[in-house]
Amino acid sequence: MLRHEFQPGRLVAGLALTVAGILYAGDAAGLWRTPWFTAIPLVVGGLFLAGAVGVVTHGIRRRGGG
């Protein structure tokens, strides 16, 4: 397997979208109730946090720290 560059921003975005998917899958299965508007702050907040992590990571790598 080829090695690739670790990108923590993509990890954060993937986690946020996975959590949103799990919430709605649990709601569809009848395990709990999830309001329809839950995905908006979760996804937007997760993407904002992923962008911030990406900017910080880019800054660290540009300075030669990693």
Side-chain angles (χ1 to χ4, degrees):
M1 182 173 153
L2 296 175
R3 297 194 53 99
H4 57 84
E5 182 179 6
F6 177 63
Q7 297 178 342
R10 289 187 179 192
L11 175 67
V12 171
L15 287 174
L17 294 174
T18 300
V19 168
I22 289 171
L23 283 175
Y24 282 108
D27 185 36
L31 299 174
W32 56 74
R33 297 276 304 145
T34 304
W36 64 269
F37 54 84
T38 302
I40 296 169
L42 183 62
V43 171
V44 171
L47 291 177
F48 178 79
L49 183 61
V53 169
V55 167
V56 169
T57 303
H58 177 73
I60 290 171
R61 289 187 178 155
R62 189 169 183 199
R63 293 178 66 186

